[in-house]
Amino acid sequence: MSEEKIYISYNNIHKLCQKIAKQILEREERPDVIIAITGGGMIPARIIRSFLKVQGQKNIPIQAIGLSLYEDLGLGNTADVIGKEVIRTQWLDFGALDQHFDSLIGKKVLIVDEVDDTRTTLHYAVTELQKEVEEQQKRLNRLNEDTIFSIFVLHNKDKKKRAQLPAEMMDSGRYLAALTVPDKWLCYPWEAQDIEEHTILAKQQGND
């Protein structure tokens, strides 16, 4: 990987979220729930929810899951070491969902993260959430209800992936990457020590 870094401003992230939200609404695929992968997915999830508001409809609830790569602590930009194991650090309380939100069964679910690097974390999230929903369907005898998962990431790195996402998700356009970028280190504003300097660097690269 090149040592060159790509700096991303808050303004740029705001615009990317707006772009994808417009696509989702135009396709009439507004999610019933957003699931943010903690760390990088929290801020994009909150921003895109604002752009997915529809007059007369309730705000979309945001749930959070935490995933880390063993010895990597979930840093998406360094999640490209062979043999890393995905570990849950935070997960959905399906019992509480059943009680307060009628579970995820039959819902449109949008999973949000900042970057699709090796795809390992996203693959794990989709696979495990689908498995949990199927178990809930069997337990509640709701096998005839379809739960539709989609993914939104700010950036997809143009590189060979180490895991795959479901073919039906990819083929139906439910994998939404606002931008595909070179395989370089992405510097997000929430990681910046000096946000003023970070923003200047982002503007110099056209990422404002």
Side-chain angles (χ1 to χ4, degrees):
M1 181 187 295
S2 169
E3 291 301 319
E4 184 181 348
K5 297 179 179 180
I6 301 175
Y7 290 85
I8 314 296
S9 72
Y10 278 118
N11 279 358
N12 186 258
I13 290 166
H14 204 81
K15 293 172 186 176
L16 295 179
C17 290
Q18 185 177 31
K19 167 187 170 182
I20 295 300
K22 182 180 179 182
Q23 293 178 17
I24 291 172
L25 292 176
E26 286 175 348
R27 292 171 50 166
E28 298 183 353
E29 294 182 351
R30 183 177 185 264
D32 300 301
V33 61
I34 294 170
I35 296 179
I37 298 178
T38 57
M42 295 297 291
I43 293 174
R46 179 59 187 85
I47 295 173
I48 198 170
R49 183 177 80 161
S50 294
F51 288 118
L52 290 170
K53 283 184 178 179
V54 174
Q55 187 173 3
Q57 295 191 26
K58 294 180 179 179
N59 266 336
I60 301 168
I62 299 176
Q63 301 288 330
I65 58 175
L67 299 175
S68 293
L69 293 178
Y70 183 65
E71 295 181 350
D72 180 54
L73 301 181
L75 299 176
N77 280 311
T78 56
D80 56 356
V81 181
I82 296 174
K84 292 292 186 181
E85 177 187 0
V86 180
I87 297 173
R88 298 184 189 185
T89 58
Q90 179 180 345
W91 202 248
L92 301 182
D93 182 346
F94 279 87
L97 283 172
D98 286 350
Q99 183 177 358
H100 301 291
F101 185 65
D102 190 28
S103 80
L104 297 181
I105 298 171
K107 302 295 192 299
K108 293 191 287 291
V109 181
L110 181 65
I111 301 168
V112 179
D113 206 359
E114 88 275 44
V115 61
D116 180 0
D117 191 331
T118 62
R119 200 161 284 175
T120 307
T121 301
L122 290 171
H123 167 81
Y124 181 92
V126 173
T127 302
E128 291 300 305
L129 286 169
Q130 285 180 330
K131 187 188 304 181
E132 298 256 12
V133 169
E134 289 169 4
E135 290 174 357
Q136 294 290 308
Q137 285 182 290
K138 292 175 183 177
R139 183 175 64 83
L140 299 172
N141 194 27
R142 295 173 60 179
L143 299 175
N144 61 337
E145 300 178 53
D146 292 331
T147 302
I148 300 173
F149 288 95
S150 302
I151 285 175
F152 162 52
V153 292
L154 296 170
H155 300 102
N156 170 41
K157 287 192 178 182
D158 187 10
K159 63 189 292 184
K160 183 178 180 180
K161 306 300 184 183
R162 295 205 174 99
Q164 299 302 318
L165 295 170
E168 64 271 17
M169 175 183 286
M170 305 300 287
D171 295 342
S172 62
R174 289 188 281 110
Y175 170 81
L176 301 161
L179 283 177
T180 295
V181 296
D183 184 18
K184 298 178 181 179
W185 189 276
L186 299 176
C187 299
Y188 290 101
W190 48 82
E191 300 167 345
Q193 296 295 314
D194 184 337
I195 192 60
E196 299 294 343
E197 178 187 35
H198 179 99
T199 303
I200 291 171
L201 292 170
K203 286 182 178 180
Q204 289 174 352
Q205 295 182 341
N207 298 322
D208 57 348

